Amino acid sequence: MAEQLMSAFESSVDKTNLILKDIEQAYGWPRARRNQSYAALRTVLHLLRDRMTVQECAEFAAQLPVLVRGIYFDGWQPENVPVKLNRDDFLYEVRQGFPYDVEGGPQRVAQVVLDALRRHVTQGEWQDVKSGMPRDLQRLIP
């Protein structure tokens, strides 16, 4: 039993590292900048989560690696969702949550993270997430 739990944990760490590596590769960052890829992932995950209904939030979370799911739900207040954010509000909040200056600014941060996440969930689930967003925000989502 302990071996199975350790294997599941290691698998989750591996999958989380793949998502972070996708973000780093999009920017050409070395692994030494992992704190920035983590900050980008966390910021965009929280904004995405808070923009969804509780039901859609849970369905999306079910497809995330356990470790990313923990990041995703950290600090969540389901009684306060969905938060109404349009594209400009979303990008403003990305900038607030991601304090690093990077090429392309908050829009690029959001697009890179969203693209990385899209590759790690089913196409159907990703379409559900995208369709639940306002039109102007949908244009940001790959």
Side-chain angles (χ1 to χ4, degrees):
M1 178 71 142
E3 283 182 28
Q4 288 175 335
L5 290 174
M6 189 54 126
S7 177
F9 179 77
E10 288 172 355
S11 174
S12 180
V13 169
D14 290 344
K15 290 175 184 177
T16 300
N17 281 327
L18 285 175
I19 294 170
L20 294 170
K21 187 176 179 182
D22 285 350
I23 295 166
E24 292 158 3
Q25 286 181 336
Y27 276 107
W29 293 341
R31 191 178 191 288
R33 291 179 74 177
R34 180 64 44 106
N35 60 328
Q36 286 183 258
S37 56
Y38 169 77
L41 177 63
R42 185 178 194 282
T43 297
V44 174
L45 273 174
H46 284 187
L47 290 168
L48 195 62
R49 170 201 74 193
D50 290 347
R51 184 60 191 87
M52 290 190 261
T53 65
V54 172
Q55 179 68 31
E56 185 55 44
C57 183
E59 290 171 5
F60 177 66
Q63 294 198 11
L64 299 173
V66 172
L67 186 56
V68 175
R69 197 175 313 147
I71 296 165
Y72 180 70
F73 282 124
D74 184 43
W76 189 44
Q77 296 178 322
E79 67 276 6
N80 296 332
V81 298
V83 174
K84 302 297 182 194
L85 293 173
N86 62 31
R87 182 181 176 278
D88 291 339
D89 295 335
F90 190 91
L91 294 175
Y92 173 82
E93 293 299 331
V94 169
R95 181 66 187 132
Q96 296 307 303
F98 183 77
Y100 303 96
D101 289 324
V102 295
E103 184 179 326
Q107 181 169 330
R108 176 91 168 114
V109 170
Q111 288 173 325
V112 164
V113 172
L114 291 168
D115 191 47
L117 289 170
R118 178 190 55 81
R119 288 192 297 271
H120 295 275
V121 299
T122 65
Q123 183 178 357
E125 183 55 40
W126 193 250
Q127 282 307 117
D128 288 348
V129 168
K130 186 173 180 175
S131 68
M133 299 292 154
R135 283 199 209 290
D136 66 336
L137 193 50
Q138 284 180 11
R139 287 180 284 180
L140 191 65
I141 300 172

